[in-house]
């Protein structure tokens, strides 16, 4: 399956007009590399036979994390929407790798937005090139959606902070070189860059029994008398990190939505190929009207999801509020991906249920209605934004 299709060409034209040709050729060549070097390794990653470092390296080499960061520290300064489209293609090639990079890039975004000049110089070039890998550590064993109630503490001790607590379900744990750790400081919340080499940072056992996203690494991260230098480590203001997290997650939700558009397209592509070749009752499966309804519904929902993700991206690019649109995009795209991957399993019948190369897409998509803001929580965010707007 070609990752970059006519729908991308048209979408770029409608959103970016004159700039579309440049982005078109960039994304086209990016897809060609993904088709050659990532797609063939994706099933093995799900089966625990490959290493994500290999596929992640390809995406880093293609400059995925540089695309939308401003120049100066290695970024290319392209529109955020172009980055999210690249993430759709990455998600279509391998969901685990795309998610690992998306989360890594959220940490780079945190440094770029809230870090000091020194922190940017020290961290951004290596994060954007992939020389260093990052993890985002917000969730705790007793708080996920209710992140504000986190129990991890950062206690001031002269020019240092001492972090104590535990972070749960952390993607890239064990592989990352740096962790962005959120902790309560007494003044509010702080966001701290902690090096993996810090003796107070301990990574728990790898969570191998995950339903999907099996290529990615997930583990608990414990902070035990983890001493960090305040100037090197604390991003921005001591009390403001919860607001930073909300801002970072707004952007990251668009990215996770786009990864889901990619996952859905891959599952859908496999189902279409099968439906066109499967003969039953003297016809092809694709000739039946009930099949065509599934095809049409998936096409409508995938396009609508991509468009809403791009709309939220364009609002961000223009410095306009986009919290509600990002939440809407994520809810629509993630729930759409679960439905579309489910329809793909249905179309492939027994083969869909028994082939991990089909059901893995449903398993991958399923995470993203929970992670980075569960659908229930995002609906509450959307409703309160709407009520405020209308009030
Ligand atoms: C594979 C994986 C990777 C992850 N990677 C990371 C990572 O890199 N960094 C990180 O910080 N976190 C990560 N997470 C954590 C993820 O973001 C949380 O699991 C998610 O935020 C939900 O939190 P929770 O699991 O504590 O569930 P809870 O918050 O306890 O929610 C439980 C259930 O309650 C529902 N719910 C919540 N609030 C409401 C409400 N107000 N009304 C009705 N229902 C509600 C939820 O939708 C959910 O169904 C990851 C999780 C997984 C599984």
């Amino acid at each position: 399956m070609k990752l970059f299709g006519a729908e991308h060409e048209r979408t770029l034209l409608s959103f970016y007009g004159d700039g579309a040709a440049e982005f078109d050729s960039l994304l086209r060549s990016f897809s060609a590399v993904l088709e050659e070097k990532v797609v063939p390794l994706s099933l093995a990653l799900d089966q625990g036979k490959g290493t994500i470092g290999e596929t992640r390296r390809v995406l880093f080499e293609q400059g995925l994390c540089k695309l939308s960061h401003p120049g100066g520290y290695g970024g290319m300064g392209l529109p955020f929407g172009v980055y999210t489209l690249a993430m759709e293609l990455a998600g279509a090639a391998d969901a685990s790798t795309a998610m690992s990079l998306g989360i890594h890039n959220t940490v780079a975004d945190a440094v770029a937005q809230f870090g000091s000049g020194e922190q940017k110089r020290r961290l951004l070039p290596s994060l954007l090139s992939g020389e260093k890998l990052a993890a985002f550590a917000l969730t705790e064993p007793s708080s996920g959606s209710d992140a504000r109630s986190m129990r991890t503490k950062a206690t001031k001790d002269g020019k240092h902070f001492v972090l104590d607590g535990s972070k749960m379900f952390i993607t890239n744990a064990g592989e990352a070189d740096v962790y962005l750790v959120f902790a309560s400081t007494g003044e509010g919340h702080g966001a701290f860059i902690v090096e993996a080499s810090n003796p107070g940072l301990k990574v728990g056992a790898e969570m191998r029994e995950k339903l999907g996203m099996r290529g990615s690494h997930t583990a608990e991260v414990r902070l035990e008398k983890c001493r960090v230098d305040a100037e090197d480590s604390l991003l921005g203001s001591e009390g403001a990190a919860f607001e930073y997290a909300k801002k970072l997650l707004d952007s990251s939700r668009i990215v996770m939505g786009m990864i889901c558009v990619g996952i859905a397209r891959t599952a859908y592509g496999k189902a279409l190929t099968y439906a066109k070749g499967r003969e039953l009752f003297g016809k092809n499966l694709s000739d039946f009207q009930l099949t065509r309804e599934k095809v049409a519904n998936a096409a409508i929902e995938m396009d609508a999801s991509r468009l809403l993700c791009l709309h939220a991206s364009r609002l961000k690019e223009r410095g306009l509020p986009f919290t509600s649109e990002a939440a809407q995009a994520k809810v629509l795209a993630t729930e759409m991906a679960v439905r579309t991957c489910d329809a793909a399993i249905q179309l492939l019948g027994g083969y869909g249920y028994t082939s991990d190369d089909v059901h893995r897409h449903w398993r991958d998509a399923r995470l993203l209605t929970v992670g980075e803001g569960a659908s229930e929580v995002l609906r509450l965010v959307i409703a309160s934004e709407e009520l405020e707007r209308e009030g």
Side-chain angles (χ1 to χ4, degrees):
M1 185 187 118
K2 286 271 169 237
L3 298 181
F4 188 94
E7 64 271 46
H8 298 106
E9 201 179 311
R10 285 199 304 271
T11 306
L12 279 170
L13 271 171
S14 87
F15 275 84
Y16 292 103
D18 292 345
E22 178 199 343
F23 307 146
D24 186 297
S25 82
L26 186 143
L27 292 175
R28 231 175 247 283
S29 55
F30 177 57
S31 319
V33 175
L34 294 180
E35 283 161 21
E36 185 195 337
K37 297 188 173 168
V38 174
V39 173
L41 302 179
S42 183
L43 177 59
L45 273 177
D46 176 68
Q47 294 169 333
K49 294 178 189 155
T51 54
I52 191 169
E54 206 178 328
T55 47
R56 208 167 39 214
R57 174 68 32 215
V58 175
L59 299 195
F60 275 129
E61 281 169 4
Q62 290 306 302
L64 182 63
C65 292
K66 299 180 179 174
L67 290 178
S68 65
H69 284 283
Y73 299 100
M76 291 166 69
L78 297 182
F80 187 73
V82 175
Y83 166 61
T84 64
L85 274 168
M87 271 297 184
E88 180 201 322
L89 302 171
D94 182 64
S96 294
T97 312
M99 182 181 76
S100 164
L101 249 89
I103 291 175
H104 161 91
N105 218 11
T106 299
V107 179
D109 194 14
V111 176
Q113 284 197 55
F114 311 115
S116 64
E118 209 301 297
Q119 288 167 331
K120 288 182 199 172
R121 272 190 294 282
R122 178 163 51 92
L123 292 163
L124 272 182
S126 54
L127 290 177
L128 301 193
S129 67
E131 196 188 312
K132 279 196 172 159
L133 182 69
F136 182 87
L138 176 65
T139 305
E140 300 193 351
S142 59
S143 65
S145 308
D146 183 15
R148 203 190 281 272
S149 70
M150 69 182 79
R151 293 185 184 170
T152 298
K153 293 254 174 308
T155 313
K156 194 100 184 253
D157 181 16
K159 292 184 171 171
H160 293 86
F161 279 95
V162 180
L163 309 184
D164 281 289
S166 173
K167 295 291 172 178
M168 198 56 158
F169 306 132
I170 304 308
T171 301
N172 297 339
E175 303 180 288
D177 301 286
V178 291
Y179 293 76
L180 179 62
V181 176
F182 291 83
S184 165
T185 63
E187 303 261 324
H189 298 93
F192 300 87
I193 293 284
V194 183
E195 301 280 336
S197 57
N198 189 313
L201 185 144
K202 311 237 160 62
V203 177
E206 168 71 21
M207 295 174 173
R208 292 189 192 282
E209 310 298 321
K210 293 200 298 273
L211 179 68
M213 295 290 190
R214 289 188 163 183
S216 68
H217 290 248
T218 316
E220 184 177 0
V221 174
R222 289 188 303 279
L223 293 312
E224 296 171 1
K225 295 193 175 66
C226 180
R227 180 173 287 273
V228 292
D229 181 284
E231 203 177 310
D232 286 353
S233 169
L234 178 67
L235 283 191
S237 318
E238 190 181 322
F242 194 72
E243 290 310 309
Y244 298 166
K246 286 201 313 200
K247 235 177 146 185
L248 293 166
L249 289 171
D250 280 346
S251 301
S252 171
R253 282 171 186 151
I254 307 175
V255 173
M256 295 303 147
M258 276 300 223
I259 291 174
C260 274
V261 176
I263 297 172
R265 278 186 55 240
T266 296
Y268 171 81
K270 288 175 185 176
L272 281 196
T273 306
Y274 181 82
K276 284 184 196 166
R278 175 71 169 180
E279 284 181 27
L280 64 176
F281 305 111
K283 291 182 179 180
N284 280 336
L285 178 55
S286 58
D287 293 330
F288 294 98
Q289 283 195 333
L290 288 176
T291 305
R292 289 177 172 233
E293 184 190 34
K294 286 192 181 68
V295 172
N297 286 345
I300 294 165
E301 288 205 289
M302 285 190 297
D303 273 359
S305 300
R306 182 187 300 108
L307 295 180
L308 193 46
C309 288
L310 273 175
H311 171 57
S313 302
R314 292 294 274 163
L315 293 174
K316 174 182 158 75
E317 286 165 18
R318 286 160 193 217
L320 295 165
F322 65 98
T323 297
S324 178
E325 288 78 1
Q328 290 175 33
K330 180 172 181 282
V331 170
L332 181 68
T334 55
E335 295 184 356
M336 170 284 292
V338 173
R339 280 191 295 274
T340 302
C341 294
D342 188 66
I345 295 172
Q346 189 74 13
L347 276 170
L348 274 111
Y351 295 106
Y353 190 80
T354 54
S355 162
D356 49 6
D357 202 24
V358 181
H359 60 63
R360 70 189 170 103
H361 302 301
W362 183 89
R363 292 189 280 102
D364 288 344
R366 192 65 188 79
L367 170 64
L368 292 172
T369 62
V370 173
E372 300 245 354
S375 287
E376 290 84 349
V377 175
L378 294 184
R379 283 191 164 86
L380 294 177
V381 169
I382 296 161
S384 55
E385 292 265 327
E386 290 302 308
L387 290 166
E388 223 167 88
R389 216 178 278 172
E390 295 307 317

